[in-house]
Amino acid sequence: MSRTVPLSRMRNIGIMAHIDAGKTTVSERILFYAGKTHKLGEVHDGAATMDWMEQERERGITITSAATTVMWKDHRITLIDTPGHVDFTVEVERSLRVLDGVIALFCAVGGVQPQSEKVWRQSEKYNVPKIAFVNKMDRVGADFFRVVEEIQEELGANAVPVVVPIGKEDQFRGLIDLIRMKAVFYADDTMGAEYREEEIPADKMEKARKWRAYLVEKCAEQGDDAILQKFFDTGDLSEAEILSILRKATIARRVVPVYCGSAFKNKGIQHLLDAVVRCLPAPNEIPPIICAREPEENRRNPTDEDPLSALAFKIMADKHMGKLTYVRVYSGTLRAGATVLNSTRDKPQRVGRILRMHANKQEAIEAAFCGDIVAIVGLMDTKTGDTICDENHPIHLEAIEFPAPVISISIAPESQADSEKLSHALARLADEDPTFVVSFDTETSETVISGMGELHLEIIVDRLKREFGVVARIGRPEVAYRETATAAVQGAYKHVKQSGGRGQYAHVYLELEPLPPGSGFEFVNGIVGGRIPAEFIPSVEKGVIAAMASGSYAGYPVVDMRVKLTDGSYHEVDSNDFAFREAGRAGFKELFAKAQPELLEPVMSLEVTMPEEFMGPVTSSICQRRGRIEQMEQQGGEKLIRAMAPLSEMFGYSNTLRTLTQGRGNFSMHFERYEAVPFAIAEQIIKRRREQNKIR
C-alpha cells in the first residue's frame, strides 16, 4: 500500500472551546459539507455523529474526543472534536499534544470564557498554531468585534479578522471576505451547502474597507522588506501575497486569523474549511521530532523514509475490537502485522489491525504513513503517552502531562458476585483515562476512585453499569485536600533498634522549610565531610517522600516543602538503607507536626450566567458556599458572575442553580489553585477523618 494523499495536502486539526460554544455542531457541518455525511446531526436531538456515546447523546455534551477524516479541495483533514467541560480536560490535553493546528471556537455572545482561556493555554504549551471562529452570530447579544478584542486583550493573541459579518443576531445574513472583497450569502434551501458571492453592499463598503486596511497592515508587519516597501508605496497587497503571509505567520504563531458564522444556521463553515487548508500547517511543516532524552543526537524528520516514530495518545475499549490504541505517526511507516518497539516500556509489540476512525466506526487500512492519526488493535502493553518506534532505531518522545484528580468517592459492587467484574471494569476505564485513578484504602478496606469532578465520576459509574454490566454503590465524595507547613523548623531524629544480632542505627538532622504554592517538593543534600555515607542519602529522601504521602496533621499528602539534610551520624555495622529510610520518615513526621501545619483545599474558578431577575438568590447562594464574588457584568441579555469557591462546597450546585433560576441558569468551573482552609473548618475535617478511622 502506498500513500494516496501527499503529505503537503494533509491537515491534522482539532476544535477546542468553552462548553456549549458549538464545537460538535461545527464538526457536524464540516462532515456534511465535505460529503462525509448526508444528513445533519444535531446535538439537541441526540443525533450528532461525533457524539456517539449514549451518555453524550443524553446530556448533549461531548465527553470523549472523537476523530474522523474528511476530504476538502483535494486535502485530507483529520478532525478531532474535543470536549469543552473541564471534567474531561484530559481529552483536550492529549489531542493538542498530537495535532498540528487547531480551530479555537468562541461564542459570539460569551466571548472569551474561562475554559476558552484554559484550552488556549494548553495549546500554547504545545506550540499549536490556531485560527479562530466566532460562532453563534445569530444569537441575541452577538458581537463579533467585541470577541476579537477579547481574544487580543485576554489571550494576548494577534487576532486579525479575515472576514467580517453582514448583520448580527436575527439579521445575520452572511459575511464579507476581506481578502477577495466579496460579500457571501448562504442559501437556506440547500442547508448552506451552496452560497453566492456578490459585490459588497454600498452600506457595508466603509466597514469592509476599514477592516481590509487593518488586515493588509497586519500582513505587511509580518512580511519581508519588499512586502513592507510595497505596502508603504501602494497601501495594499495582492490576494496571493496576503494568503502567503497569513499562512507563514499563522504557522509561526504570530497571527491568529479570525472567521465567523453560525454553524446551527449553516453559515460560514465552508470559509472555515478553506482557512484550515490555507493557514494551518501540513505534517511536513512542523519541526523535526526530537528525542526527550537525547535532544541533540536523536531526531526524526517528518517523512515516510525516516525510521518509525509514533505517540500513543489515547486508549479506548471497543466491545467488538477490544483495546484500541490511537497513535499519531510522526515519521516512517507503520504496517499491519509488523513488530514495533514500545520504547517507554522497552517491550516489543505486534501491530494487529490498523484502523482509520470515523467517530466509533472503523475502516481497516494496510499501513499508516507519516502524519496519519489511526487506531491500532494489538498493542496490549501500551498506555497513553508511550512511544512506538522502529526496533533498530529507538527514540523516546516527550510524554503527555495530566492534571491530578481533585475529587474521590468510595465504590463497591452491589453483590459479591460483581466484585471481580468491578475490578476488571475499573482497570479498563483507568487504562483509557489517565485522570481517573483507582486505589485501595487499606485502613477502611474500600476501593476509592478519583477524578476531575462530579460529572466525571458520574459518567464513570454510568459506564460501569451500561458497558460492563456492573451495578455499584458509591460513597460520599471526598475532596483531595493537601497539607503544608507555615513555619521553618529543624531538629534531629535517631533511629536505634537492637534485637539480638545485627541492629539498626541511623541519625539524621533535618531542616524543613515551606515553599511558595505550587513549588512541589525539594530535597537538598547538605552533608559535608562524610558524616553520612553517600549511599544512604537517597534512603533518607525516600523516607521523607514516604512520610509526605500521608501528613501527620490530617493524613493528607504534604506539598510545597523543602527538606534539607544537614548532619547526622552512622554506625559501621548497624547502619543500612532501611534504617536511614526509617529515620527520614519518622524524623519528617515529628518535625512537620511542629512546623505549624495547615490544611489546603482545591479552590475552583466559577462562572455563572442567568437572567437578571435571579441575581439576588444566586449571589446569596455563592456566598453561603464560602464563595468570593470577584466580578459581575452584563453579557448579552444575561448577567455573568465570576467567583472563586472551594470545591468541597460545590457538590450538588448544578441542582441548586437549576432550582434558583427555574432551569435558566448555567455555570462552569475549573480548578484554579490550593488555598488554606479556615481553622474552624479544618478542625471539623480532621475530626471527621479520625472518626472514619482514616488516621489511627
Coordinates of all heavy atoms in Angstrom, one line a residue, residues 10 89 132 164 190 197 225 240 250 335 399 413 436 452 582 600:
M10 N -2.2 17.3 3.7 CA -2.8 16.7 4.9 C -2.9 17.7 6.0 O -2.0 18.6 6.1 CB -2.0 15.5 5.4 CG -2.1 14.3 4.5 SD -1.0 12.9 5.1 CE -1.8 12.6 6.7
T89 N -10.9 17.5 30.7 CA -9.8 18.2 30.1 C -8.7 17.3 29.6 O -7.9 17.7 28.7 CB -9.2 19.2 31.2 OG1 -8.2 20.0 30.6 CG2 -8.6 18.4 32.3
A132 N -9.2 31.2 14.6 CA -10.3 31.5 15.5 C -11.6 31.5 14.7 O -11.6 32.0 13.5 CB -10.2 32.7 16.3
V164 N -15.7 39.6 8.0 CA -16.5 40.3 8.9 C -17.9 40.0 8.6 O -18.3 39.7 7.5 CB -16.3 41.9 8.9 CG1 -14.9 42.2 9.4 CG2 -16.5 42.4 7.5
T190 N -30.6 25.0 0.6 CA -29.6 23.9 0.4 C -28.9 23.6 1.7 O -27.8 23.1 1.7 CB -28.6 24.2 -0.7 OG1 -27.9 25.4 -0.3 CG2 -29.3 24.5 -2.0
E197 N -21.7 34.6 -4.2 CA -20.8 35.8 -4.0 C -21.3 37.0 -4.8 O -21.7 36.8 -5.9 CB -19.4 35.5 -4.4 CG -18.7 34.5 -3.5 CD -17.2 34.3 -3.8 OE1 -16.8 34.9 -4.8 OE2 -16.5 33.7 -3.0
D225 N 11.0 42.8 3.8 CA 11.2 44.2 3.4 C 10.5 44.6 2.2 O 10.0 45.7 2.0 CB 12.7 44.5 3.3 CG 13.4 44.3 4.7 OD1 12.7 44.4 5.7 OD2 14.7 44.2 4.7
A240 N -2.7 37.0 -3.4 CA -1.7 35.9 -3.2 C -0.7 36.3 -2.1 O -0.3 35.4 -1.3 CB -1.0 35.7 -4.6
T250 N 0.7 32.4 10.6 CA -0.2 31.5 11.4 C 0.6 30.3 11.9 O 0.6 30.0 13.0 CB -1.4 31.1 10.6 OG1 -2.2 32.2 10.2 CG2 -2.3 30.2 11.5
R335 N 3.1 -0.6 9.5 CA 2.3 -1.6 8.7 C 1.7 -2.6 9.6 O 2.2 -3.0 10.6 CB 3.3 -2.3 7.7 CG 3.9 -1.3 6.7 CD 4.6 -2.0 5.5 NE 5.2 -1.0 4.7 CZ 4.6 -0.4 3.7 NH1 3.3 -0.6 3.5 NH2 5.2 0.5 2.9
A399 N 6.5 12.7 26.7 CA 5.2 12.2 27.2 C 4.2 13.3 27.4 O 4.5 14.5 27.2 CB 5.4 11.4 28.5
P413 N -19.2 -3.1 44.8 CA -20.3 -3.7 44.0 C -21.5 -4.0 44.8 O -21.4 -4.2 46.0 CB -19.6 -5.0 43.6 CG -18.6 -5.3 44.6 CD -18.1 -4.0 45.1
F436 N -8.4 9.4 35.7 CA -9.2 8.6 36.5 C -8.3 7.6 37.2 O -7.6 6.8 36.6 CB -10.3 7.8 35.7 CG -11.1 6.8 36.4 CD1 -11.9 7.2 37.5 CD2 -11.0 5.4 36.1 CE1 -12.6 6.2 38.2 CE2 -11.7 4.5 36.8 CZ -12.5 4.9 37.8
M452 N -11.8 14.2 38.0 CA -11.7 15.6 37.8 C -12.9 16.4 38.3 O -12.9 17.6 38.3 CB -11.4 16.0 36.4 CG -10.1 15.4 35.8 SD -8.6 15.8 36.8 CE -8.6 17.5 36.6
E582 N 13.9 4.8 57.5 CA 13.0 5.0 58.6 C 13.3 6.3 59.4 O 12.4 6.9 59.9 CB 13.2 3.8 59.5 CG 12.2 3.7 60.7 CD 10.7 3.6 60.2 OE1 10.5 3.2 59.0 OE2 9.9 3.9 61.0
L600 N -4.9 22.5 53.2 CA -5.1 23.2 51.9 C -6.3 22.5 51.2 O -6.4 21.3 51.2 CB -3.9 23.2 51.0 CG -2.6 23.8 51.6 CD1 -1.5 23.6 50.6 CD2 -2.8 25.3 51.9

